[in-house]
Amino acid sequence: MRRTPATRTAATAATALALALAATACGDGGTTGPASDGEFSGQTITVAGVWTGTEQKNFQKVLDAWSEESGASVEFLSTGDNVSTVIGSKIEGGDAPEVVMVPQVGVLKQFAQSGWLSPLSADAEQEVTQNFANVWKDYGTVGGKYYGLYFKAAHKSLVWYSPDALEQAGVDEPATYAQMLENGRTISDSGLPAFSVAGQDGWTLTDWFENVYLSQAGPEKYDQLADHAIPWTDPSVVEALTTLGELFSDKELVAGGADTALRTDFPTSVQHVFGPEPKAAMVYEGDFVGALVAGDFGKTLGEDARFFLFPPVDGGPKPVVSGGDAAVVLKDGEHQEAAMSLIEFLATPEAAAVWAKAGGYLSPNRELDVSAYADDLTRQTAQSLVEAGDSVRFDMSDQAPAAFGGTVGKGEWKLLQDFLRDPSDPKATAEQLEAAAADAFDR
């Protein structure tokens, strides 16, 4: 009989915390191997996900901690970005992994509607109810059944800046969106353009829109638009595009203007602020900017690079747009009970603490003590994410069909790039977005 979450947590907390220290202390991320007397000794399960490099290595530390407790061995399969195709091929070939870390709400829905998933155990569901805001459970639920545990999250409502640039211009962190633009113009007057915009990557433009829309239109409208329950021609969309167009059309605010922005990819946009030859003072994007700033450009987070939360628009709340990776169990996987045990472990703060200590990670688990994170800036980000509670909204483009919200040169990505190039007619852009969304959602 599987243990209840309360019993299981009490039994494993001390072990998991010790394993967290041991796993993160090992330079190669390895442990001494599975416990020979564990509940699932002799079994090997496969966990698939998009991660490579450091992310894969750090997640492996979490898997190793569970192996030490359970006795099972775990193999990680890196799928690359095309998770659906890889997993579909594995299922068709009779070689399905037990667990998949799904990076998008839309993909999770696709898997569930294709009949690929087993609902998560009552123990896992109870653990999530205890440890997570309801919104995270909602995003893992399809058709009234709970399929996806969000283990890793992103905070996509951060504006990163050079403290020297703001100090030189004599401006502070803004309290509102309007003040952010006003400060940007002051920074530009001091000799450095305000924002580096990564217009070559359409996904960054969807994130810009989502933050403005969530704050200005509110969570209810955001949910309706994400589900295409209201059209993209709704006045709230036109209003958000008009607000965003004020930024996009101002050459004082966008470094090099739209032409330069449309030739700037995401890593380069960060380099333009924190590289050896700064070309802008600020760059908007998620917590993952910090890894580039520290790893690629050698800046000290909190000193050479800081962020402020995306400011509220027109009196609305501060938006918190997130993304994340959900653990799901494939019903065609061989070792179902072991897979469910792993999910139950991932729902605990002890599991989250392993990766938090290793770095490059945010957890939506509100029971994880922020002291587990390795630096103050990450603690601040994590605190903001958890304190947002049920007001967090998942990246809207990740909820949409890929043809609309996630394809280079198509749908929302292309149309927002066109809007960056010429933001003079928000209503026309809204009409084009609606046509593309209607086509994608009807397929």
Side-chain angles (χ1 to χ4, degrees):
M1 180 180 295
R2 187 171 289 127
R3 292 163 284 177
T4 67
T7 303
R8 185 183 184 285
T9 300
T12 63
T15 301
L17 285 173
L19 287 167
L21 295 173
T24 52
C26 294
D28 61 359
T31 68
T32 56
S36 59
D37 57 351
E39 183 179 2
F40 302 108
S41 294
Q43 297 184 22
T44 298
I45 71 170
T46 299
V47 178
V50 300
W51 299 317
T52 59
T54 300
E55 284 187 307
Q56 179 181 339
K57 180 180 177 181
N58 288 341
F59 182 53
Q60 187 65 50
K61 294 175 183 178
V62 181
L63 299 177
D64 289 345
W66 177 74
S67 291
E68 280 287 306
E69 178 190 345
S70 68
S73 297
V74 185
E75 297 178 350
F76 184 81
L77 168 67
S78 184
T79 63
D81 290 335
N82 203 345
V83 180
S84 300
T85 300
V86 173
I87 298 304
S89 297
K90 288 286 184 181
I91 292 173
E92 187 176 344
D95 187 27
E98 279 76 11
V99 174
V100 182
M101 306 303 296
V102 179
Q104 294 173 316
V105 172
V107 174
L108 190 154
K109 289 179 179 177
Q110 175 194 334
F111 281 18
Q113 292 164 354
S114 298
W116 294 355
L117 304 183
S118 294
L120 298 186
S121 68
D123 288 355
E125 188 169 355
Q126 184 178 340
E127 194 84 47
V128 169
T129 300
Q130 292 174 348
N131 297 344
F132 293 72
N134 291 334
V135 67
W136 294 102
K137 185 177 177 182
D138 291 344
Y139 281 125
T141 299
V142 182
K145 294 182 179 180
Y146 181 52
Y147 291 108
L149 164 76
Y150 277 92
F151 178 67
K152 186 176 187 289
H155 193 315
K156 304 182 81 172
S157 297
L158 308 177
V159 180
W160 294 80
Y161 68 91
S162 162
D164 287 345
L166 267 65
E167 182 178 349
Q168 182 175 337
V171 299
D172 297 321
E173 296 181 358
T176 66
Y177 183 84
Q179 186 182 0
M180 182 175 73
L181 301 194
E182 181 182 343
N183 286 358
R185 294 183 181 105
T186 301
I187 292 168
S188 181
D189 289 343
S190 73
L192 188 67
F195 286 97
S196 177
V197 176
Q200 183 175 318
D201 292 325
W203 61 268
T204 67
L205 304 182
T206 70
D207 291 347
W208 268 106
F209 171 81
E210 288 157 7
N211 277 274
V212 170
Y213 190 80
L214 178 56
S215 182
Q216 193 172 56
E220 184 177 352
K221 282 279 193 181
Y222 187 98
D223 292 342
Q224 292 172 345
L225 188 61
D227 290 338
H228 202 221
I230 59 173
W232 283 75
T233 49
D234 190 88
S236 63
V237 176
V238 177
E239 183 180 16
L241 288 171
T242 301
T243 298
L244 190 56
E246 182 183 355
L247 168 67
F248 286 174
S249 63
D250 194 329
K251 292 185 178 180
E252 285 189 281
L253 295 176
V254 178
D259 288 344
T260 295
L262 287 164
R263 296 194 302 270
T264 302
D265 62 14
F266 166 64
T268 304
S269 73
V270 178
Q271 180 183 342
H272 284 173
V273 178
F274 299 107
E277 298 181 6
K279 297 180 180 179
M282 297 179 282
V283 60
Y284 155 72
E285 251 311 332
D287 59 278
F288 39 84
V289 168
L292 281 175
V293 170
D296 290 19
F297 307 123
K299 301 294 184 181
T300 301
L301 298 180
E303 295 181 15
D304 306 318
R306 298 176 190 164
F307 66 76
F308 54 85
L309 300 177
F310 199 100
V313 182
D314 292 347
K318 285 184 179 179
V320 179
V321 176
S322 186
D325 298 87
V328 301
V329 174
L330 295 188
K331 68 179 184 181
D332 286 350
E334 182 178 358
H335 301 295
Q336 290 280 298
E337 190 173 357
M340 289 297 178
S341 174
L342 173 59
I343 302 297
E344 291 161 17
F345 176 68
L346 294 180
T348 67
E350 291 77 30
V354 178
W355 198 339
K357 186 175 178 65
Y361 171 80
L362 287 179
S363 172
N365 193 319
R366 63 191 174 201
E367 296 302 315
L368 175 64
D369 193 317
V370 295
S371 65
Y373 293 101
D375 63 87
D376 287 339
L377 213 59
T378 306
R379 294 184 194 106
Q380 180 185 346
T381 311
Q383 191 73 33
S384 169
L385 181 71
V386 170
E387 287 180 349
D390 287 331
S391 67
V392 171
R393 288 299 181 270
F394 210 94
D395 184 310
M396 190 186 298
S397 62
D398 283 352
Q399 298 183 58
F404 178 68
T407 302
V408 175
K410 291 185 177 181
E412 192 180 2
W413 288 18
K414 178 185 184 299
L415 292 171
L416 288 180
Q417 287 173 322
D418 292 344
F419 183 68
L420 170 61
R421 183 178 292 108
D422 179 9
S424 63
D425 195 343
K427 185 176 180 180
T429 296
E431 291 170 351
Q432 293 167 342
L433 286 163
E434 171 55 22
D439 181 62
F441 276 87
D442 286 344
R443 291 183 185 179

